[in-house]
Short mmCIF file of all heavy atoms in Angstrom, two decimals:
data_model
loop_
_atom_site.label_atom_id
_atom_site.label_comp_id
_atom_site.label_asym_id
_atom_site.label_seq_id
_atom_site.Cartn_x
_atom_site.Cartn_y
_atom_site.Cartn_z
N LEU X 1 -25.17 -20.49 7.35
CA LEU X 1 -26.04 -20.49 6.16
C LEU X 1 -25.28 -20.99 4.92
O LEU X 1 -25.82 -21.71 4.09
CB LEU X 1 -26.59 -19.12 5.90
CG LEU X 1 -27.78 -18.66 6.77
CD1 LEU X 1 -28.18 -17.23 6.38
CD2 LEU X 1 -28.94 -19.62 6.63
N ALA X 2 -24.01 -20.61 4.83
CA ALA X 2 -23.24 -21.00 3.66
C ALA X 2 -22.99 -22.47 3.56
O ALA X 2 -22.64 -22.99 2.49
CB ALA X 2 -21.88 -20.26 3.69
N HIS X 3 -23.17 -23.22 4.67
CA HIS X 3 -22.91 -24.65 4.69
C HIS X 3 -24.22 -25.48 4.74
O HIS X 3 -24.16 -26.71 4.90
CB HIS X 3 -22.06 -25.02 5.88
CG HIS X 3 -20.62 -24.57 5.74
ND1 HIS X 3 -20.22 -23.31 6.00
CD2 HIS X 3 -19.51 -25.27 5.37
CE1 HIS X 3 -18.91 -23.22 5.78
NE2 HIS X 3 -18.47 -24.38 5.40
N LEU X 4 -25.38 -24.81 4.56
CA LEU X 4 -26.65 -25.51 4.66
C LEU X 4 -27.33 -25.57 3.28
O LEU X 4 -27.12 -24.68 2.47
CB LEU X 4 -27.54 -24.81 5.68
CG LEU X 4 -27.10 -24.83 7.16
CD1 LEU X 4 -28.13 -24.09 8.00
CD2 LEU X 4 -26.90 -26.27 7.66
N PRO X 5 -28.20 -26.55 3.10
CA PRO X 5 -28.99 -26.59 1.86
C PRO X 5 -30.02 -25.48 1.84
O PRO X 5 -30.29 -24.82 2.87
CB PRO X 5 -29.65 -27.96 1.90
CG PRO X 5 -29.72 -28.29 3.39
CD PRO X 5 -28.47 -27.70 3.97
N THR X 6 -30.61 -25.24 0.68
CA THR X 6 -31.59 -24.14 0.53
C THR X 6 -32.77 -24.29 1.48
O THR X 6 -33.25 -23.32 2.10
CB THR X 6 -32.07 -24.09 -0.92
OG1 THR X 6 -30.97 -23.94 -1.80
CG2 THR X 6 -33.04 -22.94 -1.09
N ASN X 7 -33.22 -25.54 1.66
CA ASN X 7 -34.41 -25.80 2.51
C ASN X 7 -33.96 -26.12 3.94
O ASN X 7 -34.30 -27.14 4.51
CB ASN X 7 -35.22 -26.96 1.95
CG ASN X 7 -34.43 -28.23 1.82
OD1 ASN X 7 -33.20 -28.19 1.76
ND2 ASN X 7 -35.12 -29.37 1.76
N HIS X 8 -33.22 -25.20 4.54
CA HIS X 8 -32.62 -25.41 5.85
C HIS X 8 -33.57 -25.08 7.01
O HIS X 8 -33.29 -25.36 8.16
CB HIS X 8 -31.34 -24.60 6.01
CG HIS X 8 -31.50 -23.13 5.73
ND1 HIS X 8 -32.20 -22.29 6.55
CD2 HIS X 8 -31.08 -22.41 4.69
CE1 HIS X 8 -32.17 -21.06 6.04
NE2 HIS X 8 -31.50 -21.09 4.92
N GLY X 9 -34.72 -24.48 6.69
CA GLY X 9 -35.62 -24.08 7.74
C GLY X 9 -35.17 -22.73 8.34
O GLY X 9 -34.18 -22.15 7.88
N PRO X 10 -35.85 -22.24 9.35
CA PRO X 10 -35.51 -20.92 9.94
C PRO X 10 -34.16 -20.95 10.64
O PRO X 10 -33.73 -21.97 11.19
CB PRO X 10 -36.62 -20.65 10.92
CG PRO X 10 -37.14 -22.01 11.30
CD PRO X 10 -37.03 -22.85 10.06
N LEU X 11 -33.49 -19.81 10.61
CA LEU X 11 -32.17 -19.63 11.28
C LEU X 11 -32.37 -18.78 12.51
O LEU X 11 -32.99 -17.72 12.42
CB LEU X 11 -31.16 -19.00 10.32
CG LEU X 11 -29.85 -18.56 10.94
CD1 LEU X 11 -28.99 -19.77 11.32
CD2 LEU X 11 -29.09 -17.60 10.03
N GLY X 12 -31.81 -19.22 13.62
CA GLY X 12 -31.95 -18.43 14.85
C GLY X 12 -30.65 -18.40 15.65
O GLY X 12 -29.63 -19.01 15.31
N LEU X 13 -30.68 -17.62 16.72
CA LEU X 13 -29.59 -17.50 17.70
C LEU X 13 -30.05 -18.06 19.00
O LEU X 13 -31.17 -17.74 19.46
CB LEU X 13 -29.16 -16.04 17.83
CG LEU X 13 -28.67 -15.35 16.56
CD1 LEU X 13 -28.50 -13.84 16.84
CD2 LEU X 13 -27.34 -15.94 16.13
N MET X 14 -29.22 -18.88 19.63
CA MET X 14 -29.52 -19.43 20.94
C MET X 14 -28.39 -19.08 21.87
O MET X 14 -27.20 -19.33 21.52
CB MET X 14 -29.74 -20.93 20.89
CG MET X 14 -29.96 -21.59 22.27
SD MET X 14 -30.11 -23.42 22.20
CE MET X 14 -31.75 -23.56 21.51
N GLY X 15 -28.68 -18.54 23.05
CA GLY X 15 -27.60 -18.15 23.91
C GLY X 15 -27.94 -18.23 25.36
O GLY X 15 -29.08 -18.51 25.75
N PHE X 16 -26.97 -17.93 26.18
CA PHE X 16 -27.02 -18.19 27.61
C PHE X 16 -26.56 -16.99 28.43
O PHE X 16 -25.48 -16.44 28.18
CB PHE X 16 -26.16 -19.41 27.93
CG PHE X 16 -26.38 -20.53 26.90
CD1 PHE X 16 -25.54 -20.66 25.83
CD2 PHE X 16 -27.45 -21.38 27.02
CE1 PHE X 16 -25.76 -21.65 24.86
CE2 PHE X 16 -27.70 -22.37 26.08
CZ PHE X 16 -26.84 -22.51 25.00
N SER X 17 -27.43 -16.56 29.31
CA SER X 17 -27.07 -15.56 30.28
C SER X 17 -26.63 -14.24 29.62
O SER X 17 -27.47 -13.51 29.11
CB SER X 17 -25.98 -16.11 31.20
OG SER X 17 -25.83 -15.33 32.35
N GLN X 18 -25.33 -13.93 29.61
CA GLN X 18 -24.87 -12.68 29.08
C GLN X 18 -25.26 -12.51 27.62
O GLN X 18 -25.33 -11.38 27.11
CB GLN X 18 -23.35 -12.60 29.22
CG GLN X 18 -22.77 -11.22 28.96
CD GLN X 18 -21.29 -11.19 29.03
OE1 GLN X 18 -20.60 -11.51 28.05
NE2 GLN X 18 -20.72 -10.84 30.19
N ALA X 19 -25.54 -13.60 26.92
CA ALA X 19 -26.00 -13.52 25.53
C ALA X 19 -27.33 -12.75 25.41
O ALA X 19 -27.70 -12.36 24.33
CB ALA X 19 -26.12 -14.90 24.93
N GLY X 20 -27.99 -12.54 26.53
CA GLY X 20 -29.22 -11.76 26.52
C GLY X 20 -29.01 -10.33 26.05
O GLY X 20 -29.94 -9.68 25.59
N TRP X 21 -27.78 -9.84 26.17
CA TRP X 21 -27.43 -8.53 25.64
C TRP X 21 -26.86 -8.63 24.21
O TRP X 21 -27.07 -7.76 23.40
CB TRP X 21 -26.41 -7.85 26.52
CG TRP X 21 -26.91 -7.52 27.90
CD1 TRP X 21 -28.09 -6.89 28.24
CD2 TRP X 21 -26.28 -7.84 29.15
NE1 TRP X 21 -28.23 -6.79 29.57
CE2 TRP X 21 -27.12 -7.35 30.19
CE3 TRP X 21 -25.07 -8.46 29.49
CZ2 TRP X 21 -26.80 -7.52 31.54
CZ3 TRP X 21 -24.75 -8.61 30.83
CH2 TRP X 21 -25.60 -8.14 31.86
N VAL X 22 -26.15 -9.74 23.94
CA VAL X 22 -25.47 -9.90 22.63
C VAL X 22 -26.44 -10.25 21.52
O VAL X 22 -26.40 -9.71 20.42
CB VAL X 22 -24.37 -10.97 22.75
CG1 VAL X 22 -23.72 -11.21 21.42
CG2 VAL X 22 -23.30 -10.53 23.81
N ILE X 23 -27.34 -11.20 21.79
CA ILE X 23 -28.19 -11.74 20.72
C ILE X 23 -29.11 -10.69 20.12
O ILE X 23 -29.24 -10.61 18.87
CB ILE X 23 -29.00 -12.95 21.24
CG1 ILE X 23 -28.05 -14.17 21.31
CG2 ILE X 23 -30.23 -13.24 20.39
CD1 ILE X 23 -28.72 -15.44 21.85
N PRO X 24 -29.82 -9.84 20.88
CA PRO X 24 -30.63 -8.83 20.22
C PRO X 24 -29.80 -7.89 19.29
O PRO X 24 -30.29 -7.51 18.23
CB PRO X 24 -31.25 -8.03 21.40
CG PRO X 24 -31.24 -9.03 22.52
CD PRO X 24 -30.00 -9.83 22.34
N LEU X 25 -28.60 -7.57 19.71
CA LEU X 25 -27.74 -6.73 18.87
C LEU X 25 -27.38 -7.47 17.58
O LEU X 25 -27.37 -6.88 16.50
CB LEU X 25 -26.46 -6.38 19.62
CG LEU X 25 -26.62 -5.47 20.82
CD1 LEU X 25 -25.30 -5.38 21.64
CD2 LEU X 25 -27.05 -4.05 20.42
N ALA X 26 -27.06 -8.77 17.70
CA ALA X 26 -26.70 -9.56 16.54
C ALA X 26 -27.90 -9.74 15.57
O ALA X 26 -27.74 -9.67 14.37
CB ALA X 26 -26.15 -10.93 16.97
N ALA X 27 -29.08 -9.98 16.15
CA ALA X 27 -30.29 -10.15 15.35
C ALA X 27 -30.63 -8.90 14.61
O ALA X 27 -31.08 -8.91 13.45
CB ALA X 27 -31.44 -10.59 16.22
N LYS X 28 -30.42 -7.75 15.23
CA LYS X 28 -30.66 -6.46 14.59
C LYS X 28 -29.69 -6.24 13.45
O LYS X 28 -30.01 -5.64 12.43
CB LYS X 28 -30.56 -5.32 15.60
CG LYS X 28 -30.91 -3.95 15.07
CD LYS X 28 -30.78 -2.90 16.14
CE LYS X 28 -31.10 -1.51 15.57
NZ LYS X 28 -30.88 -0.44 16.61
N GLU X 29 -28.47 -6.76 13.63
CA GLU X 29 -27.41 -6.61 12.59
C GLU X 29 -27.67 -7.49 11.38
O GLU X 29 -27.32 -7.10 10.26
CB GLU X 29 -26.06 -6.98 13.24
CG GLU X 29 -24.88 -7.10 12.31
CD GLU X 29 -24.38 -5.76 11.83
OE1 GLU X 29 -24.71 -4.74 12.46
OE2 GLU X 29 -23.69 -5.70 10.79
N ASN X 30 -28.27 -8.67 11.58
CA ASN X 30 -28.33 -9.65 10.52
C ASN X 30 -29.76 -10.01 10.14
O ASN X 30 -30.50 -10.63 10.91
CB ASN X 30 -27.60 -10.94 10.97
CG ASN X 30 -27.32 -11.87 9.79
OD1 ASN X 30 -28.13 -11.97 8.89
ND2 ASN X 30 -26.17 -12.51 9.84
N PRO X 31 -30.23 -9.61 8.96
CA PRO X 31 -31.64 -9.90 8.57
C PRO X 31 -31.94 -11.35 8.31
O PRO X 31 -33.08 -11.75 8.18
CB PRO X 31 -31.81 -9.06 7.29
CG PRO X 31 -30.43 -8.94 6.76
CD PRO X 31 -29.54 -8.84 7.95
N ASN X 32 -30.89 -12.21 8.22
CA ASN X 32 -31.09 -13.64 8.04
C ASN X 32 -31.62 -14.34 9.30
O ASN X 32 -32.11 -15.46 9.22
CB ASN X 32 -29.80 -14.32 7.59
CG ASN X 32 -29.34 -13.88 6.20
OD1 ASN X 32 -30.15 -13.81 5.28
ND2 ASN X 32 -28.08 -13.56 6.06
N VAL X 33 -31.47 -13.69 10.47
CA VAL X 33 -31.88 -14.28 11.72
C VAL X 33 -33.39 -14.09 11.88
O VAL X 33 -33.89 -12.96 11.80
CB VAL X 33 -31.14 -13.66 12.91
CG1 VAL X 33 -31.71 -14.17 14.26
CG2 VAL X 33 -29.64 -13.93 12.81
N SER X 34 -34.11 -15.19 12.09
CA SER X 34 -35.57 -15.10 12.17
C SER X 34 -36.15 -15.49 13.53
O SER X 34 -37.35 -15.37 13.74
CB SER X 34 -36.21 -16.01 11.08
OG SER X 34 -35.84 -17.33 11.26
N PHE X 35 -35.32 -15.96 14.45
CA PHE X 35 -35.81 -16.18 15.83
C PHE X 35 -34.60 -16.21 16.80
O PHE X 35 -33.44 -16.28 16.38
CB PHE X 35 -36.61 -17.48 15.91
CG PHE X 35 -35.77 -18.75 15.76
CD1 PHE X 35 -35.23 -19.37 16.87
CD2 PHE X 35 -35.58 -19.31 14.50
CE1 PHE X 35 -34.46 -20.55 16.72
CE2 PHE X 35 -34.85 -20.48 14.35
CZ PHE X 35 -34.28 -21.09 15.46
N MET X 36 -34.91 -16.12 18.07
CA MET X 36 -33.87 -16.17 19.11
C MET X 36 -34.43 -16.91 20.32
O MET X 36 -35.59 -16.79 20.67
CB MET X 36 -33.38 -14.80 19.45
CG MET X 36 -34.46 -13.80 19.79
SD MET X 36 -33.83 -12.09 19.93
CE MET X 36 -35.41 -11.18 20.05
N VAL X 37 -33.53 -17.66 20.98
CA VAL X 37 -33.88 -18.40 22.19
C VAL X 37 -32.81 -18.03 23.23
O VAL X 37 -31.61 -18.17 22.98
CB VAL X 37 -33.89 -19.90 21.97
CG1 VAL X 37 -34.17 -20.62 23.27
CG2 VAL X 37 -34.88 -20.30 20.88
N LEU X 38 -33.28 -17.56 24.41
CA LEU X 38 -32.32 -17.12 25.42
C LEU X 38 -32.61 -17.81 26.77
O LEU X 38 -33.73 -17.76 27.28
CB LEU X 38 -32.46 -15.59 25.60
CG LEU X 38 -32.18 -14.80 24.36
CD1 LEU X 38 -33.47 -14.27 23.76
CD2 LEU X 38 -31.23 -13.65 24.62
N PHE X 39 -31.62 -18.48 27.27
CA PHE X 39 -31.68 -19.13 28.56
C PHE X 39 -31.15 -18.14 29.61
O PHE X 39 -30.01 -17.73 29.55
CB PHE X 39 -30.83 -20.38 28.60
CG PHE X 39 -31.37 -21.52 27.76
CD1 PHE X 39 -31.09 -21.56 26.40
CD2 PHE X 39 -32.10 -22.52 28.31
CE1 PHE X 39 -31.56 -22.62 25.61
CE2 PHE X 39 -32.59 -23.60 27.55
CZ PHE X 39 -32.31 -23.63 26.17
N SER X 40 -32.03 -17.73 30.56
CA SER X 40 -31.64 -16.82 31.61
C SER X 40 -31.05 -15.51 31.07
O SER X 40 -30.02 -14.99 31.66
CB SER X 40 -30.67 -17.48 32.60
OG SER X 40 -31.26 -18.63 33.16
N GLY X 41 -31.58 -15.03 30.01
CA GLY X 41 -31.08 -13.78 29.42
C GLY X 41 -31.70 -12.56 30.04
O GLY X 41 -32.92 -12.43 30.10
N PRO X 42 -30.90 -11.63 30.57
CA PRO X 42 -31.50 -10.43 31.21
C PRO X 42 -32.16 -9.49 30.21
O PRO X 42 -31.66 -9.31 29.12
CB PRO X 42 -30.24 -9.77 31.84
CG PRO X 42 -29.11 -10.22 30.99
CD PRO X 42 -29.44 -11.63 30.56
#
């Protein structure tokens, strides 16, 4: 976010497999995250 212009659009997390456990925790931690995409996330 610190390196993007103001009109950067939504910020999300995209991850793979084991990230299915990490991303929800990170999204809960950071209110700037507005969406998440998970490939084969349990």
Side-chain angles (χ1 to χ4, degrees):
L1 281 179
H3 288 81
L4 295 180
T6 303
N7 57 339
H8 54 70
L11 171 71
L13 299 171
M14 175 183 286
F16 316 94
S17 196
Q18 193 183 83
W21 296 311
V22 175
I23 284 179
L25 294 170
K28 185 180 177 183
E29 170 75 17
N30 195 323
N32 292 315
V33 175
S34 60
F35 70 91
M36 51 190 171
V37 178
L38 301 105
F39 292 83
S40 301

